[in-house]
């Protein structure tokens, strides 16, 4: 029942007793006991009913030595087991405080004297921290035929509780078993926190203060089979200064908070290790690792005992505040939450971290999947937003390099990978958090514009740590790197927009919202093209602007800002980039609006900063007021009865931007024009929309092929709920030029702004028709007579995307003019249609001829000859037609009995359609004879056509470009 080695120092046997050899030298009794602790392997979690269990590995502690000093008042000891086991009158020797290494490695001698050194638990060397006594039976104890195992109890001065101190770990033996919560780091922490040894800093500096408190043992019984003990310890955290100094020295700072250990005969029954740490969001937390011995009945082996470990994270700091002073790269602007509160207090049992990794994703033992903490974020307007997110637990005190390396490994992956790998997908699922459409402020709104930065959020993409080129993960610095939000102003024009991917604006991040001329805080990942119908944009324009910036007060606008390396706005973007934002925008339904936009002055960008309703109205009323970009904004109505969406823009246009090689014609003159668009939609609480739209284009002109010019001082479009659209045009004047200038002379007597009696203007929601018709009186001069002549001109400005067109006519096909000269006569007509793309249609015809009759009484007769030419060009069908004809008629009647008539008709037509051409000839001769009651008619017809080859070479095929370039300078050097 007893295994013990006893050594005597400065004692000799005089034949009767043990007496001192040297009265002045230390006299000691050294007691060596077998290992007092067995460290067992901890298997992975097993089911409650164990059917198979592999043998468990175990590591034992080294032997323990107790050293006792024989007091001077004891002159001798009996040489007997009972006397040598009577330790109550001896003085237990402890290792002096502050010493961690013996005089000789592997010994228990400190300062030349053997000391009491107990290895408990395995690899941890402890000693007494206060005077103690060992109490035990010196004789075997028998009860009911059983003999008790020898044991001795350590007894302290305070109601039996004993204070112990760890002074070193054993580092020259094999490693500890896996899954044991008492890792090498935890044993070193116990030494640091209980040894009362000073931690030295750099040479010449003060020692590093470390909280120190001894281990407390409610029970500590030593036996030949091991110790039965209940040992516990609790320690205050290191001060921030001490932790900083240790980490700066590249040392690990202890993070152990509590330690509780229960053993029976050297076998672990219960271990509880609590380590301080923080979650990746910065919340202080504890990693609680508990080891329990479980007893399970197996079908064949009876009761089996094994150790089982259970880890949990306990959140100690429910809420963390964030702000400009908490270490963020951009003053906290990258973090839309001012605070995060975690509602979880204790997690379910967790998956055992990978050995060697101090930091780990908090994952569930039951499924291996991440445990998603429930967080409640407080935004910049004190709204509460709840969501879930997996987090990383990071123990306190890790060396900076080690912590950074582990965090980089844990956050490895590409959140923006186009073809994500499994690692990327895992990180994406962890960082992308669903917000479920909750409304939150993405940035601190201006004091006078509360709610201006709030959105319904579908998803937030989180990041961790310092951002930028030198980015690295840092605990306590969570931020939002991307998001998906709803933008109500955009949704009104793009109903299928849904949640839009956004990121924080660079100027907002690096400078502040106030430093951006428009107060932008978010950028759309992809610029969004807004497609406006003419009926929504005022009829005069379809501004398909590409919006990208979300601002606090100006709403959603195109990105026309050029930024420097520090994120500051240095000027407006080049004109080419600004025009690119208006790709597809149309003026008057068909003209590329981007071609007439002008450079934006940097000074005018500030107009967008404070853009309330009063400021917008002042800009619209002022003759020189301009909004440099379209503004798309939504606001709550003052009376709280709904919301108002407004799209407003007022910009000056200029001369067309002619690109090299562009020889297209331009009919629009907007060198002094101003375009204004103001569309409002009011949505009431019952989801009823009322839209009011106003569009205006001033001081512009249309020029058609150098023949006519239409000048319009003011073109306005208005529409409102419950009424038809209203279109008004004022200051409209039509002038003819070049070959048609004579028309101006014909109407010179008429009022210039009214066109006279033949003028008309029709303004409809679909467009504008304005024109002039002038009927000339019949003119007779001698045998010459000109009659039925009319002149007409019509301008059409549609609002449905069709081009503006102009038509000029001289009479009409249905009402041709007439010309007679003596016995000859004829007539004709002419019309031409042109639009912005060129001539679309030309049609004309002229006919002439003469007739004569003769009556001799007995016989009478007559003859007529008519000839005509007709020309037609159809630009839409790419068809040309030219034709001419000759018709001759003659008759003779004798005594009314015999009548002979002859008709001759000849026609020649040339037609061209595309590259195919056809010439057709047609002739017909008809002879009719009537005698009394008998008549007979005979016709002879002939028709022939000749087709040209469809592959006839064009002019471009026949003349090489460099030949043509040499040919032209010969006439115009």
């Amino acid at each position: 029942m007893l295994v013990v080695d006893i050594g005597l120092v400065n004692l000799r046997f005089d034949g009767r007793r043990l007496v001192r050899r040297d009265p002045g030298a230390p006299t000691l009794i050294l007691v060596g006991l077998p290992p007092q602790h067995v460290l067992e392997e901890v298997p992975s979690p097993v089911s409650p009913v164990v059917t198979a269990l592999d043998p468990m590995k175990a590591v034992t502690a080294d032997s323990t030595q107790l050293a006792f000093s024989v007091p001077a008042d004891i002159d001798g000891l009996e040489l007997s087991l009972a006397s040598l086991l009577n330790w109550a009158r001896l003085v237990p020797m402890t290792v002096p405080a502050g010493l961690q290494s013996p005089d000789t490695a592997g010994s228990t001698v400190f300062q030349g004297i053997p000391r009491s050194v107990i290895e408990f638990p395995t690899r941890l060397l402890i000693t007494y921290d206060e005077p103690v006594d060992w109490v035990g039976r010196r004789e075997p104890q028998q009860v009911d035929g059983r003999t008790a195992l020898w044991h001795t109890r350590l007894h302290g001065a305070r109601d039996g509780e004993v204070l112990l101190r760890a002074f070193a770990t054993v580092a020259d033996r094999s490693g500890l078993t896996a899954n044991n919560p008492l890792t090498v780091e935890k044993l070193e922490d116990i030494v640091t926190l209980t040894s009362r040894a000073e931690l030295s800093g750099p040479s010449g500096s003060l020692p590093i203060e470390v909280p120190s408190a001894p281990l407390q043992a409610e029970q500590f019984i030593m036996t030949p089979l091991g110790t039965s003990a209940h040992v516990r310890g609790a320690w205050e955290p290191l001060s921030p200064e001490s932790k900083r100094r240790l980490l700066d020295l590249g040392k690990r700072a202890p993070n152990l908070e509590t330690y509780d250990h229960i053993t029976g005969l050297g076998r672990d029954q219960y271990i509880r290790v609590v380590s301080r740490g923080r979650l990746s969001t910065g919340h202080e937390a504890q990693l609680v690792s508990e080891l329990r011995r479980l007893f399970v009945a197996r079908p064949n082996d009876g009761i089996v005992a094994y150790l089982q470990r259970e880890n949990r994270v306990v959140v100690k700091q429910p809420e963390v505040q964030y702000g400009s002073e908490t270490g963020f790269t951009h003053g906290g602007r990258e973090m839309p939450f001012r605070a995060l509160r975690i509602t979880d207090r204790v997690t379910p049992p967790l998956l055992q971290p990978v050995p060697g990794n101090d930091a780990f994703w908090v994952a569930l033992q039951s499924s291996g999947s991440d445990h998603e903490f429930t967080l409640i974020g407080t935004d910049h307007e004190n709204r509460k937003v709840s969501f879930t997110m997996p987090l990383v637990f990071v123990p306190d005190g890790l060396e900076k390099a080690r912590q950074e390396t582990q965090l980089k490994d844990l956050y490895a992956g590409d959140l923006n990978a186009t073809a994500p790998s499994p690692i990327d997908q895992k990180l994406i699922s962890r960082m992308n958090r669903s917000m479920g459409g909750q409304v939150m402020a993405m940035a601190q709104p201006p004091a006078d514009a509360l709610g201006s930065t709030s959105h319904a959020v579908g998803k937030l993409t989180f990041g961790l740590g310092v951002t930028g080129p030198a980015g690295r993960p840092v605990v306590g610095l969570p931020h939002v790197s991307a998001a998906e939000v709803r933008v109500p102003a955009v949704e009104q024009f793009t109903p299928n927009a849904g949640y839009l991917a956004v990121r924080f604006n660079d100027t907002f991040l690096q400078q502040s919202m106030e430093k951006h001329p428009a107060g932008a805080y978010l950028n759309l990942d992809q610029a969004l093209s807004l497609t406006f119908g003419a009926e929504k944009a005022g009829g005069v324009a379809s501004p398909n602007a590409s919006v990208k910036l979300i601002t606090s007060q100006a709403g959603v606008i195109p990105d026309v800002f050029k930024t420097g390396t520090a994120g500051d706005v240095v000027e407006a973007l080049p004109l080419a980039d600004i025009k690119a934002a208006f790709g597809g925008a149309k003026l008057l339904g068909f003209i590329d609006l981007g071609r007439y936009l002008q450079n934006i002055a940097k000074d005018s960008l500030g107009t967008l900063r404070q853009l309330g309703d009063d400021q917008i109205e002042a800009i619209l009323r002022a003759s020189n007021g301009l909004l440099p970009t379209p503004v798309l904004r939504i606001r709550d109505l003052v009376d709280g009865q709904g919301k108002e969406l407004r799209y407003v823009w007022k910009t000056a246009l200029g001369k067309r931007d002619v690109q090299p090689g562009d020889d297209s014609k331009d009919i629009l003159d907007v060198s002094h024009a101003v375009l204004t668009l103001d569309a409002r939609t009011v949505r009431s609480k019952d989801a009823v929309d009322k839209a009011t739209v106003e569009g205006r284009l001033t001081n512009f002109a249309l020029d058609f092929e150098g023949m006519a010019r239409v000048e319009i001082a003011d073109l306005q479009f208005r529409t409102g709920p419950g009424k038809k659209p209203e279109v008004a045009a004022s200051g409209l004047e039509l002038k003819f030029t070049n070959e048609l200038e004579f028309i101006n002379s014909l109407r010179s007597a008429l009022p210039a702004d009214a066109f006279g009696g033949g003028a008309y203007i029709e303004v409809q929601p679909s467009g504008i028709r304005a024109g002039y018709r002038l009927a000339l009186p019949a003119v007779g001069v001698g045998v010459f007579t000109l009659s039925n002549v009319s002149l007409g001109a019509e301008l059409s400005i549609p609002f449905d995307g069709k081009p503006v067109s102009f038509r000029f006519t001289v009479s009409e096909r249905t009402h041709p003019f007439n010309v007679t000269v003596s016995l000859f006569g004829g007539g004709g007509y002419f019309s031409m249609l042109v639009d912005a793309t060129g001539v679309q249609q030309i049609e004309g015809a002229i006919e002439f001829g003469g007739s004569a009759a003769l009556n001799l009484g007995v016989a009478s007769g007559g003859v007529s000859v008519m000839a005509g030419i007709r020309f037609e060009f159809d630009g839409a069908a790419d068809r040309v037609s030219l034709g001419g004809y000759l018709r001759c008629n003659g008759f003779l009647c004798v005594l009314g009995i015999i009548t002979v008539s002859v008709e001759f008709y000849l026609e020649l037509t040339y037609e061209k359609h595309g590259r195919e051409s056809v010439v057709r000839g047609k002739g017909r001769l008809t002879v009719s004879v009537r005698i009394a009651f008998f008549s007979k008619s005979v016709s002879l017809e002939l028709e022939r056509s000749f087709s040209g080859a469809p592959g006839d070479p064009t002019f471009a095929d026949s003349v090489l470009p460099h030949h043509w370039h040499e040919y032209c300078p010969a006439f115009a050097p």
Side-chain angles (χ1 to χ4, degrees):
M1 299 296 122
L2 172 62
V3 178
V4 62
D5 291 331
I6 296 178
L8 304 177
V9 177
N10 197 31
L11 287 173
R12 64 181 179 84
F13 184 59
D14 63 359
R16 185 175 61 86
R17 303 173 65 207
L18 292 172
V19 298
R20 287 182 172 85
R21 293 182 180 274
D22 180 358
T27 303
L28 304 172
I29 296 179
L30 306 180
V31 178
L33 295 173
Q36 294 297 301
H37 184 250
V38 177
L39 185 65
E40 298 179 36
E41 181 184 0
V42 181
S44 300
V46 295
S47 62
V49 179
V50 179
T51 58
L53 199 63
D54 294 332
M56 297 293 105
K57 298 178 181 179
V59 177
T60 64
D62 204 349
S63 59
T64 288
Q65 176 175 285
L66 303 180
F68 298 94
S69 174
V70 179
D73 58 353
I74 298 178
D75 57 358
L77 300 173
E78 293 184 4
L79 184 57
S80 66
L81 184 59
S83 175
L84 294 177
L85 296 178
N86 183 13
W87 302 337
R89 54 182 180 164
L90 304 180
V91 179
M93 301 296 291
T94 184
V95 176
L99 297 181
Q100 295 181 285
S101 300
D103 296 348
T104 302
S107 71
T108 61
V109 177
F110 292 81
Q111 297 177 339
I113 299 176
R115 310 286 180 167
S116 297
V117 177
I118 304 170
E119 186 174 337
F120 179 87
T122 303
R123 305 295 187 267
L124 182 67
L125 303 180
I126 63 175
T127 189
Y128 325 122
D129 197 54
E130 64 174 359
V132 295
D133 297 320
W134 286 98
V135 179
R137 294 183 180 274
R138 297 188 293 273
E139 301 292 339
Q141 181 185 6
Q142 293 184 342
V143 177
D144 297 332
R146 296 178 180 234
T147 302
L149 185 69
W150 176 88
H151 61 274
T152 181
R153 180 187 298 271
L154 190 60
H155 183 269
R158 301 180 301 170
D159 298 327
E161 189 174 72
V162 178
L163 300 183
L164 301 172
R165 172 168 39 87
F167 62 88
T169 61
V170 179
D172 57 351
R173 278 186 272 163
S174 59
L176 302 177
T177 57
N179 292 339
N180 197 295
L182 287 175
T183 61
V184 173
E185 290 80 4
K186 292 298 176 284
L187 296 180
E188 291 175 349
D189 284 356
I190 295 175
V191 172
T192 302
L193 297 170
T194 64
S195 65
R196 290 192 276 136
E198 287 188 346
L199 294 179
S200 59
S203 177
S205 64
L206 295 174
I208 300 174
E209 294 184 2
V210 175
S212 181
L215 295 170
Q216 298 178 357
E218 295 180 3
Q219 171 182 289
F220 202 91
I221 301 174
M222 299 182 70
T223 74
L225 297 182
T227 296
S228 296
H230 183 186
V231 178
R232 67 181 187 276
W235 300 274
E236 294 295 323
L238 272 71
S239 67
E241 176 63 19
S242 297
K243 184 186 296 185
R244 182 193 63 78
R245 293 181 64 188
L246 283 172
L247 295 179
D248 287 346
L249 292 172
K251 296 181 179 180
R252 181 179 177 276
N255 59 30
L256 185 62
E257 182 171 349
T258 61
Y259 163 57
D260 202 349
H261 198 166
I262 299 175
T263 61
L265 299 180
R267 304 284 295 278
D268 292 326
Q269 305 300 317
Y270 175 79
I271 300 176
R272 187 173 192 264
V273 175
V274 179
S275 303
R276 293 186 182 88
R278 289 192 296 165
L279 297 172
S280 49
T281 49
H283 295 78
E284 294 180 6
Q286 297 172 330
L287 175 61
V288 179
S289 297
E290 291 186 341
L291 195 67
R292 300 175 185 270
R293 184 170 295 279
L294 302 181
F295 295 85
V296 179
R298 290 211 305 189
N300 301 323
D301 299 343
I303 303 298
V304 175
Y306 64 95
L307 296 174
Q308 194 74 75
R309 179 177 177 177
E310 186 176 275
N311 297 324
R312 297 176 187 266
V313 168
V314 179
V315 179
K316 300 297 291 182
Q317 182 185 12
E319 184 170 292
V320 170
Q321 304 287 332
Y322 305 103
S324 59
E325 304 300 326
T326 52
F328 286 100
T329 306
H330 303 299
R333 291 182 291 276
E334 63 267 56
M335 180 57 172
F337 295 113
R338 293 190 298 108
L340 284 180
R341 172 176 287 273
I342 296 180
T343 61
D344 306 68
R345 289 296 179 263
V346 182
T347 67
L350 302 178
L351 193 66
Q352 177 65 29
V354 177
N357 284 0
D358 304 281
F360 59 90
W361 285 100
V362 180
L364 299 176
Q365 176 181 295
S366 58
S367 62
S369 59
D370 293 329
H371 171 68
E372 297 198 354
F373 290 83
T374 300
L375 295 95
I376 299 177
T378 303
D379 70 2
H380 291 284
E381 293 188 337
N382 291 322
R383 289 190 194 88
K384 306 297 182 183
V385 179
S386 63
F387 58 98
T388 62
M389 185 164 65
L391 300 174
V392 169
F393 178 84
V394 182
D396 279 352
L398 290 181
E399 301 91 330
K400 289 182 179 179
R402 185 173 182 180
Q403 175 177 305
E404 185 172 320
T405 299
Q406 293 191 11
L407 286 176
K408 283 183 177 180
D409 292 340
L410 293 172
Y411 283 90
D414 184 1
L415 293 175
N416 301 313
T418 55
S421 65
I423 294 177
D424 296 332
Q425 291 174 349
K426 186 68 172 178
L427 185 65
I428 290 172
S429 67
R430 284 168 166 164
M431 296 292 96
N432 288 340
R433 295 289 96 198
S434 172
M435 298 290 115
Q438 298 176 89
V439 177
M440 61 172 286
M442 292 297 293
Q444 174 70 52
D448 58 346
L450 297 179
S452 60
T453 61
S454 297
H455 299 268
V457 181
K459 182 180 72 175
L460 291 179
T461 300
F462 284 88
L464 180 69
V466 177
T467 59
R472 64 184 189 281
V474 177
V475 176
L477 294 182
H479 59 265
V480 171
S481 59
E484 290 183 0
V485 304
R486 297 188 80 99
V487 186
V490 172
E491 290 181 354
Q492 300 299 320
F493 293 94
T494 53
N496 299 323
Y499 290 102
L500 301 176
V502 297
R503 295 180 185 274
F504 286 115
N505 178 266
D506 287 342
T507 302
F508 166 75
L509 284 179
Q510 299 184 54
Q511 299 284 328
S512 69
M513 187 186 299
E514 291 73 20
K515 293 297 181 65
H516 194 283
Y521 60 96
L522 289 179
N523 286 7
L524 295 171
D525 277 5
Q526 298 293 329
L528 191 63
S529 296
L530 303 181
T531 302
F532 293 77
E535 72 281 0
K536 289 185 178 181
V540 297
S542 299
N544 301 339
S546 182
V547 294
K548 187 168 184 178
L549 303 187
I550 302 176
T551 70
S552 59
Q553 296 189 66
V556 189
I557 63 175
D559 186 5
V560 296
F561 306 92
K562 182 178 180 180
T563 58
T565 56
D568 53 319
V569 176
V570 294
E571 59 182 344
L573 287 175
L575 184 59
D577 294 336
I578 295 175
K579 291 180 177 181
F582 291 85
K586 299 298 181 183
L587 190 63
L588 298 177
F590 74 101
I591 301 171
D592 184 1
L593 177 61
R595 310 255 333 242
Y596 300 93
L597 296 177
Q598 302 300 299
N599 281 307
I600 299 176
K602 181 182 178 182
D603 295 341
S604 67
L605 297 176
T607 309
L608 302 171
R609 185 183 305 280
Q610 299 294 333
L611 205 59
D613 290 339
D614 294 340
Q615 288 80 8
I616 291 177
E617 293 303 324
I619 292 172
L620 296 182
R621 287 194 301 267
S623 59
N624 59 346
L626 296 174
L627 280 174
T629 68
V631 171
L632 190 64
R633 64 198 298 263
I634 192 167
R635 68 179 182 90
D636 294 320
L637 297 178
V638 177
D639 56 3
Q641 296 302 310
K643 295 181 178 294
E644 180 193 70
L645 170 75
R646 189 173 191 183
Y647 178 90
V648 60
W649 188 24
K650 185 179 181 183
T651 185
L653 304 179
K655 293 184 178 180
R656 187 182 72 153
D657 178 23
V658 179
Q659 301 296 326
D662 182 4
D663 57 354
S664 61
K665 298 178 181 179
D666 188 8
I667 69 169
L668 184 64
D669 181 3
V670 289
S671 56
H672 301 92
V674 174
L675 173 65
T676 304
L677 298 172
D678 189 2
R680 305 189 192 202
T681 300
V682 176
R683 172 165 292 180
S684 61
K685 287 186 175 181
D686 55 1
V688 176
D689 289 349
K690 296 181 179 180
T692 302
V693 181
E694 295 184 9
R696 188 174 188 180
L697 184 62
T698 61
N699 301 322
F700 70 100
L702 299 167
D703 197 324
F704 294 94
E705 297 290 330
M707 295 182 298
R709 180 180 175 87
V710 182
E711 296 180 352
I712 303 177
D714 194 357
L715 176 61
Q716 298 184 41
F717 179 101
R718 295 184 183 89
T719 184
K723 62 180 181 180
K724 295 181 179 180
E726 300 176 0
V727 180
S730 61
L732 192 151
E733 184 176 1
L734 176 60
K735 298 179 180 179
F736 295 94
T737 59
N738 297 327
E739 290 80 358
L740 301 182
E741 191 173 0
F742 72 93
I743 300 178
N744 296 326
S745 301
L746 290 175
R747 66 181 187 90
S748 60
L750 301 176
D753 195 38
F755 295 101
Y760 63 91
I761 299 178
E762 296 180 6
V763 182
Q764 300 291 338
S766 59
I768 297 176
R769 291 177 65 245
Y772 181 80
R773 293 190 182 95
L774 178 64
L776 301 182
V779 178
V781 180
V783 296
F784 174 84
T785 302
L786 177 65
S787 63
N788 201 32
V789 177
S790 65
L791 301 177
E794 181 178 271
L795 169 70
S796 176
I797 306 177
F799 297 155
D800 57 359
K802 296 179 181 178
V804 174
S805 62
F806 176 76
R807 186 171 185 267
F808 173 74
T809 64
V810 178
S811 297
E812 297 280 357
R813 178 191 293 183
T814 55
H815 298 285
F817 62 83
N818 297 320
V819 178
T820 61
V821 180
S822 183
L823 55 83
F824 297 99
Y829 64 90
F830 174 80
S831 67
M832 179 177 65
L833 175 66
V834 296
D835 61 17
T837 61
V839 178
Q840 293 299 310
Q841 186 182 56
I842 299 177
E843 184 180 26
I846 189 167
E847 184 181 57
F848 58 91
S851 61
L854 179 67
N855 190 344
L856 300 177
V858 177
S860 63
V863 64
S864 66
V865 179
M866 297 295 294
I869 297 175
R870 186 176 64 85
F871 174 78
E872 181 181 1
F873 168 72
D874 188 344
D878 192 15
R879 181 169 58 87
V880 177
S881 176
L882 174 65
Y885 71 92
L886 172 67
R887 183 172 66 245
C888 300
N889 291 297
F891 72 94
L892 176 65
C893 180
V894 180
L895 298 175
I897 299 175
I898 301 173
T899 302
V900 178
S901 63
V902 178
E903 179 183 19
F904 175 75
Y905 179 81
L906 181 64
E907 177 183 332
L908 183 64
T909 304
Y910 169 78
E911 295 180 357
K912 184 177 182 180
H913 192 285
R915 299 184 64 180
E916 296 183 4
S917 58
V918 177
V919 176
R920 290 189 176 90
K922 182 178 181 181
R924 184 176 67 248
L925 175 63
T926 303
V927 179
S928 298
V929 178
R930 183 172 63 86
I931 301 175
F933 301 103
F934 172 79
S935 65
K936 181 66 174 178
S937 178
V938 178
S939 294
L940 299 176
E941 293 186 1
L942 178 66
E943 181 175 353
R944 292 288 186 270
S945 62
F946 305 92
S947 298
D952 287 346
T954 65
F955 180 79
D957 294 333
S958 303
V959 180
L960 296 177
H962 66 277
H963 291 168
W964 178 251
H965 293 159
E966 293 176 359
Y967 177 79
C968 290
F971 296 91

